[in-house]
Amino acid sequence: MSGLRERQKAMRRQAISQAGVKLFERQGFQSTTIEQIAQEAGVSAPTVFKYFGSKHEILVEMLQEGDARAISDARAHIAEMDDPLDALCYLEKVLVDQALAMMPPAIWRELLLHVLSGGQSGLPDSYKRMNDILRGEIAALLRDLQAAGKLRADLDVDLAAFLLNDYSHLQLLRLTSTEPLDLETHRKQVRLTSGLILHGMAPPRHDEPAKGRPAKGGPR
């Protein structure tokens, strides 16, 4: 009997979550109320609050699930990549793929505009904790690349993870602001910009050849 009750709870939770996302996409996140979500899911407002503390919690739960899948995918494949640029681009790819699998572009546009405009202070603590966890996972992946000699030994990994996470938010906003989504152009831009971040803007030292040019005295 307890197993049946748990399945029923899980089904009700999923129904509430799906109802919320449906309304967020149709009329916008800010305009959607708990009462409307309850009506769409066929339950009472107190029942919604029993499963989710606020409508933000519906989004956070979905984002956590997508992030977990993306990080697991990245861990399974990045270690095999010799080029750190390939690794960074793959990480961004799986994060975006999972983000779009969990929530439609319209919801991402609204959420990311709020986050990138400095509105994160108004987001619930659960969202901030989720984002901190994601940055920590990105940092752990970068440390693995660093330990394998694919990144500089003196790299500030935590700062790099912070920058990559913010950059990913910005690129996702740009992607979801186009209709239809232009993933091919998005990924080309990500690779160009990630390469700039990875290799830097400083010229090569005198004892190092510029990329694509032979060293002095070397073969022509």
Side-chain angles (χ1 to χ4, degrees):
M1 182 65 72
S2 61
L4 175 61
R5 282 198 296 267
E6 290 304 314
R7 288 195 297 273
Q8 289 174 335
K9 287 180 181 179
M11 291 173 63
R12 190 173 295 118
R13 187 181 186 90
Q14 184 179 28
I16 293 170
S17 177
Q18 290 174 342
V21 171
K22 183 178 179 179
L23 288 172
F24 298 156
E25 184 178 16
R26 182 194 305 162
Q27 62 191 37
F29 177 77
Q30 297 296 338
S31 300
T32 299
T33 66
I34 289 292
E35 289 74 20
Q36 289 171 333
I37 294 172
Q39 184 177 7
E40 183 74 24
V43 299
S44 66
T47 298
V48 175
F49 281 115
K50 178 181 177 181
Y51 288 91
F52 298 96
S54 69
K55 62 181 182 179
H56 290 87
E57 302 301 328
I58 296 175
L59 292 184
V60 168
E61 180 172 284
M62 298 185 72
L63 296 179
Q64 286 176 324
E65 183 179 344
D67 287 347
R69 290 179 182 175
I71 292 298
S72 176
D73 189 330
R75 285 196 176 281
H77 295 93
I78 279 179
E80 306 167 0
M81 299 177 184
D82 294 327
D83 187 343
L85 180 56
D86 288 342
L88 293 181
C89 290
Y90 188 79
L91 172 61
E92 198 274 344
K93 176 185 180 301
V94 293
L95 285 169
V96 167
D97 286 349
Q98 286 297 330
L100 294 175
M102 300 310 296
M103 293 197 310
I107 301 178
W108 276 112
R109 282 197 299 273
E110 187 174 1
L111 176 63
L112 290 169
L113 281 170
H114 187 59
V115 172
L116 293 171
S117 66
Q120 191 165 345
S121 59
L123 293 173
D125 288 340
S126 56
Y127 181 90
K128 299 173 190 175
R129 288 195 297 271
M130 179 206 69
N131 207 35
D132 288 342
I133 290 171
L134 177 59
R135 280 202 303 266
E137 293 288 358
I138 293 173
L141 288 169
L142 294 179
R143 286 192 182 93
D144 290 344
L145 293 173
Q146 191 179 47
K150 298 173 185 177
L151 296 175
R152 286 170 34 183
D154 63 345
L155 175 68
D156 186 334
V157 170
D158 291 323
L159 176 59
F162 175 84
L163 293 173
L164 287 172
N165 186 50
D166 269 17
Y167 168 68
S168 181
H169 276 110
L170 178 59
Q171 291 289 11
L172 183 56
L173 175 58
R174 287 175 174 166
L175 172 64
T176 55
S177 297
T178 63
E179 292 184 3
L181 297 183
D182 189 350
L183 280 168
E184 182 179 357
T185 298
H186 166 78
R187 284 173 179 152
K188 287 179 180 178
Q189 183 62 38
V190 165
R191 188 169 186 89
L192 287 171
T193 311
S194 297
L196 180 62
I197 294 171
L198 180 66
H199 300 301
M201 292 181 282
R205 298 196 307 266
H206 292 304
D207 58 341
E208 292 181 345
K211 189 174 182 181
R213 298 179 183 174
K216 187 176 181 180
R220 298 290 180 180

